[in-house]
Amino acid sequence: MHGTRILEEADRLMTVCNSCRYCEGLCAVFPAMEMRRSFSDGDLNYLANLCHACGACYTDCQFSPPHEFNVNVPKTLAVARAESWAAYAWPRAFSSLFARNGLAISLIAASSVAAFIFGFAALTDHKVLVGIHTGPGAFYALMPHNAMAALFGVAFLYAMTALAMGVRAFWRDIGEPVGMRVEPASLWQAIKDAGQLRYLDGGGVGCFNEDERPTDHRKVYHHLTFYGFLLCFAATSVATLYHYFLGREAPYTWWDLPVVLGTLGGFGLLVGPAGLLAEKFRRDPALVDEKRTGMDVAFIVMLFLTSLTGIALLLLRDTAAMGPLLALHLGVVFALFITLPYGKFVHGFYRYVALVRYARERRMMGLS
Ligand code: SF4
Ligand code: SF4
């Protein structure tokens, strides 16, 4: 007996697949499944988070609907995956946010933007909001740097703490002792697998999305999004080092490192999410977990808006639009930060941990 209906269904499918084994070369899920004869809740959550939703095992399966066995591994694991994130959420009282994530993000984003606009006007003379400010320190005419750093530092720390607590619960539930020392080789293998999206390729042919013709579109858009995000994060980190260690205040010139990194990352975060959104709307409904469409779309749109408002700020920072655009950008980023632990963003962390465990299992069995 399992804790939920979807885990019962996942157990049924894994039992069928364990007899069939036709898909064992497609991804990591099937080899990990073959290491087991029965499945605990933790095992099924582990397999669900190991799945990259490439869709190949649905297209290839001779038992997929309308066959009476009704085998739909991608959709079943997608639902189990999303339910696992809610189950591991910290604090538990917020786990229901996953179910209404789209609405929650919209409301939090709208109020964050409004709070920044009113906050700027209240902190300073409201004429400052639409005034022209140029040169080093121009942004801080609207909000002192220390206030900005404290606000975003607290939001970021909260998000990272909540994420770490959720991942810790997952790690324990999949049977790994908390505090156990994981060998660097497994960590490194998982970094390589995650960094290449090794298992989002349908066993080498590409991802199945809208039909039975595989492509690499989702992989390319995901790479643009992921590396775009990392570059934007690097830009913010370098700017922080500039401020505190070199005494250099933003905004910086076009050729300065934070701007170069931010511009490249911003490009990735515009094209990647736009492409992922287009692929999502084209996706075969048989593969889609309709209940989480709002969560997926909200996260993709927030990433896109973060980049769009950041690039608009870069282009118009020497004009009177700078104040409202800065409020808009900070409002979107703030909303993104505080909703990170309760939406699609968490998939990267859970998937990475599942990959670490998979690498560890393979090493323990002498397979790599
Ligand atoms: S998804 Fe279908 S074809 Fe693939 S292993 Fe399972 S039962 Fe076999
Ligand atoms: S959808 Fe792709 S990654 Fe997920 S189990 Fe099927 S083949 Fe593996």
Side-chain angles (χ1 to χ4, degrees):
M1 282 291 286
H2 291 287
T4 61
R5 194 200 59 78
I6 197 65
L7 291 180
E8 292 288 350
E9 174 64 359
D11 191 322
R12 182 184 77 85
L13 297 193
M14 290 298 99
T15 305
V16 172
C17 293
N18 227 350
S19 306
C20 168
R21 301 195 170 187
Y22 179 74
C23 297
E24 63 185 359
L26 293 182
C27 67
V29 172
F30 296 96
M33 171 198 76
E34 289 172 13
M35 294 176 198
R36 295 162 169 79
R37 292 290 168 272
S38 61
F39 306 95
S40 66
D41 284 9
D43 288 333
L44 294 168
N45 286 336
Y46 159 57
L47 296 175
N49 282 283
L50 203 50
C51 169
H52 285 49
C54 75
C57 61
Y58 181 79
T59 306
D60 290 2
C61 183
Q62 59 271 40
F63 304 122
S64 58
H67 192 282
E68 61 182 324
F69 284 7
N70 192 28
V71 172
N72 186 339
V73 175
K75 181 166 179 173
T76 303
L77 294 188
V79 177
R81 193 160 56 237
E83 289 193 5
S84 78
W85 303 336
Y88 298 128
W90 183 90
R92 285 300 297 273
F94 287 178
S95 64
S96 62
L97 274 180
F98 276 95
R100 298 186 300 275
N101 179 275
L103 179 64
I105 285 193
S106 312
L107 293 176
I108 291 170
S111 24
S112 299
V113 170
F116 272 95
I117 291 174
F118 285 116
F120 280 2
L123 268 174
T124 57
D125 177 348
H126 70 277
K127 289 191 190 111
V128 175
L129 186 62
V130 287
I132 294 177
H133 312 279
T134 55
F139 293 154
Y140 313 125
L142 293 132
M143 185 178 195
H145 180 272
N146 286 346
M148 214 184 274
L151 195 59
F152 282 87
V154 168
F156 184 71
L157 271 180
Y158 172 76
M160 290 302 111
T161 305
L163 269 169
M165 295 300 284
V167 168
R168 181 175 179 271
F170 174 56
W171 186 247
R172 199 164 39 193
D173 199 30
I174 63 177
E176 300 289 348
V178 171
M180 183 203 67
R181 205 175 140 268
V182 180
E183 337 80 78
S186 299
L187 294 172
W188 178 237
Q189 183 63 51
I191 287 174
K192 284 193 291 181
D193 292 344
Q196 299 166 13
L197 281 179
R198 179 173 170 188
Y199 299 114
L200 190 64
D201 70 353
V205 293
C207 181
F208 294 82
N209 192 46
E210 64 270 31
D211 54 30
E212 296 186 357
R213 285 170 299 174
T215 70
D216 281 329
H217 295 169
R218 283 180 73 221
K219 193 173 192 174
V220 169
Y221 292 133
H222 194 289
H223 276 325
L224 283 167
T225 304
F226 176 64
Y227 290 108
F229 183 87
L230 284 189
L231 283 170
C232 289
F233 188 73
T236 308
S237 305
V238 173
T240 304
L241 294 177
Y242 273 22
H243 187 93
Y244 287 111
F245 293 103
L246 302 181
R248 294 185 54 199
E249 293 191 320
Y252 305 107
T253 48
W254 292 87
W255 55 87
D256 227 327
L257 190 57
V259 182
V260 173
L261 292 172
T263 306
L264 290 173
F267 172 76
L269 265 190
L270 275 182
V271 179
L276 285 176
L277 204 55
E279 292 295 312
K280 183 159 286 298
F281 288 128
R282 274 201 287 265
R283 195 157 172 82
D284 180 350
L287 301 172
V288 174
D289 170 13
E290 320 79 19
K291 275 195 185 161
R292 274 82 185 182
T293 300
M295 173 175 79
D296 292 359
V297 170
F299 178 56
I300 295 172
V301 168
M302 285 302 286
L303 288 176
F304 183 82
L305 288 179
T306 299
S307 179
L308 186 69
T309 53
I311 288 178
L313 182 60
L314 176 66
L315 293 173
L316 300 173
R317 61 189 179 174
D318 292 335
T319 71
M322 188 268 265
L325 278 174
L326 184 62
L328 198 58
H329 183 60
L330 294 183
V332 170
V333 175
F334 188 76
L336 180 71
F337 272 17
I338 59 172
T339 53
L340 283 184
Y342 310 108
K344 186 65 185 277
F345 182 76
V346 302
H347 81 284
F349 291 82
Y350 286 96
R351 187 165 286 153
Y352 175 72
V353 168
L355 286 168
V356 172
R357 205 223 175 157
Y358 179 62
R360 219 171 86 74
E361 283 183 337
R362 285 182 60 81
R363 289 177 65 77
M364 281 163 58
M365 298 190 79
L367 297 171
S368 62

